[in-house]
Amino acid sequence: MNMHELLPKVQELLVRLRTTASSEEKELLAVAYFALDFIEVTGNFYPFEAFLQSWNSPDGTLPTVASFGSLEEAETWLKEHPEPPHGAYVLVSGQPYSVFHFRHLDRRLLLPARSPGTRASE
């Protein structure tokens, strides 16, 4: 199923789940619903679909935007990047790192990411 078919079905499920959810859960479900709506409105179906395919890949690899031989190289890239992709993954010496860019603080970080085997279960 492609993203154009899948996203509306997921949104329908989120609406159904709201009927029995607590107030806090309703708020969380609304955030998920509008995140999917944002993907649709901004035309990000294909990047999201590629991300899901990478995330669910049989070899368990994380979708990465860049690869570096050392942490120093990765930090230089992050420092010089005009718009670091917050939430993306990069590989440093074969190990996954998460990219964090807090624009309002002008703060950029690379932190070790969870290994693919420790992803949240479905």
Side-chain angles (χ1 to χ4, degrees):
M1 191 175 301
N2 69 41
M3 283 297 108
H4 292 285
E5 298 167 339
L6 188 60
L7 290 185
K9 289 182 183 290
V10 173
Q11 286 180 310
E12 288 173 20
L13 173 62
L14 293 171
V15 169
R16 284 197 314 269
L17 291 173
R18 279 182 56 99
T19 61
T20 59
S22 69
S23 295
E24 182 181 345
E25 291 169 332
K26 285 180 181 181
E27 185 178 345
L28 298 173
L29 290 166
V31 169
Y33 181 94
F34 289 118
L36 296 175
D37 204 35
F38 178 82
I39 290 168
E40 180 180 9
V41 169
T42 60
N44 285 302
F45 286 107
Y46 301 113
F48 184 64
E49 189 170 42
F51 175 81
L52 283 180
Q53 288 171 350
S54 296
W55 186 252
N56 293 316
S57 68
D59 63 359
T61 57
L62 296 172
T64 58
V65 296
S67 182
F68 306 95
S70 70
L71 189 54
E72 183 178 280
E73 288 176 44
E75 288 174 341
T76 298
W77 168 82
L78 182 61
K79 181 181 175 185
E80 295 175 355
H81 197 293
E83 284 291 323
H86 182 84
Y89 297 102
V90 297
L91 289 179
V92 178
S93 299
Q95 299 301 310
Y97 279 73
S98 296
V99 175
F100 292 92
H101 181 211
F102 303 100
R103 287 167 182 80
H104 62 287
L105 300 173
D106 195 27
R107 181 107 163 109
R108 299 162 185 234
L109 299 169
L110 286 174
L111 298 175
R114 298 176 297 188
S115 64
T118 61
R119 289 184 278 178
S121 60
E122 296 181 319

